[in-house]
Amino acid sequence: MTVFSYSGRNQNGDAVNGALDAANTQAAARQLISGGVHPISIKAKKAEVDEEGISFSLGRKIKADELIILTRQLYSLTKAGVPLNKCIRGLAMTLKNPALVHVLFEIEKNLNSGLTLSASMSRHVDIFPRLYVSMVLVGENSGRLEEAFKELIDHLELEQETARRISGAFRYPMFVGIALSIAIVVLNIFVIPVFADIFKQFGAELPLMTRILITTSNFFVDYWLPLLVIAVVAIMSFKHWLGKEQGRLKWDAFKLKIPVVGSIMLRAILARFCRTFAMMMASGVPLIQSVELCSSAVGNAAIGERILGMRRGIERGESLLQAIGNSDMFTPLVMQMVAVGEQTGQVDEMLNEVADFYNREVDYEIKNLSANLEPILIVMMAVLVGILAVGIFLPMWEMFSVVQK
């Protein structure tokens, strides 16, 4: 399935636009026409990857919290037996996000025209991710829509909690790194020039470290504007590079090789893959489609490419165990658990066990993260203080000693 962006006119002649999931352009056009939309343009849209760690590739129009609340309300209303069109309209009247309210009213119109909920949601992949829509489709086909919503709630909440723990663990070292960077800039622009004027008045011979600090400070003061322009251009170029497929692949692969934090990110991604894959298999989603959806749900393009390699292996006739083994992502212990799951017909349960195993490792690594990073941060601060002591304060002490004599 491919994501297509479209623009067209509805039965009233009003302009409409959005995105939908379809096999090809012709299928997308048929889906729009069946819902009363006359398409004007249909273009393939590159799938977005979630950068915040949540497994579903959420668009910018809705936050994870809002999607969880919406799913929980849909679960409660469908469980109570309220018709879907009334559920959607009632939620649209109570929610505050204007983009989400507009989409819900569009879904209500589609439901009233005869479309299913999953088909209506698939037209708005910037709100409802492909994995979300697939779970709703399975729930509709099996007559267990409320159970599908319940599984989505548990999955979204668990993924959100994992993302919060990881971001919380990285907050302290990021804060220290930013503080050190600001301190270096302030020292070079405001502090060191003052000491340089004092040293110049004395006319004494300065140590090598002091001369290096003064030269660096003069460079910052004289060329701060070109340096700022270079920094802005570098950031924009980096973002443009990340927007390309090869750039995103290389950057995501690099993040997994970062000392200390790379292993935590890898385990969290593998746990997300196992949990998502287990949920899809337990819900009855076809194996090939489950693997494809998981590749875009893990939040890392490098791992997603390996998962797509698994799909190609399964299409060639390999078993799930062979495909997972050829991906080189999992340890022999995990492979053994998957083998047991295939033999007993409980692959989804074994994958959940694997996800729990990786989550326990992630929790342990997060607890030790501060302890592992503190020595590195202390050394960085000690080096900064040492450079200042040798380059600035030592010449000052020597000059004061000469003056006193």
Side-chain angles (χ1 to χ4, degrees), residues 319-336:
S319 65
L320 178 61
L321 179 62
Q322 290 175 320
I324 290 178
N326 294 333
S327 67
D328 295 328
M329 292 190 299
F330 300 97
T331 62
L333 176 61
V334 174
M335 298 293 300
Q336 185 178 359

Side-chain angles (χ1 to χ4, degrees), residues 24 128 151 169 179 199 205 207 327-328 345:
N24 49 48
F128 302 101
E151 291 178 359
F199 296 152
E205 184 177 354
S327 67
D328 295 328

Side-chain angles (χ1 to χ4, degrees), residues 381-396:
M381 296 179 66
V383 169
L384 178 61
V385 173
I387 291 174
L388 291 175
V390 174
I392 300 296
F393 299 116
L394 183 59
M396 290 289 295

Side-chain angles (χ1 to χ4, degrees), residues 202-217:
F202 279 92
E205 184 177 354
L206 301 176
L208 176 62
M209 182 59 69
T210 306
R211 295 199 300 269
I212 293 175
L213 287 176
I214 293 175
T215 303
T216 305
S217 175

Side-chain angles (χ1 to χ4, degrees), residues 271-320:
R272 182 181 304 133
F273 163 72
C274 292
R275 188 184 305 109
T276 305
F277 195 26
M279 181 185 66
M280 301 295 285
M281 293 189 67
S283 301
V285 179
L287 181 60
I288 299 295
Q289 186 180 357
S290 298
V291 175
E292 180 185 0
L293 291 171
C294 288
S295 67
S296 60
V298 293
N300 185 284
I303 298 298
E305 188 68 21
R306 292 193 183 186
I307 296 173
L308 287 177
M310 288 174 50
R311 186 199 66 179
R312 291 188 288 267
I314 294 173
E315 290 175 340
R316 290 192 300 266
E318 295 179 0
S319 65
L320 178 61

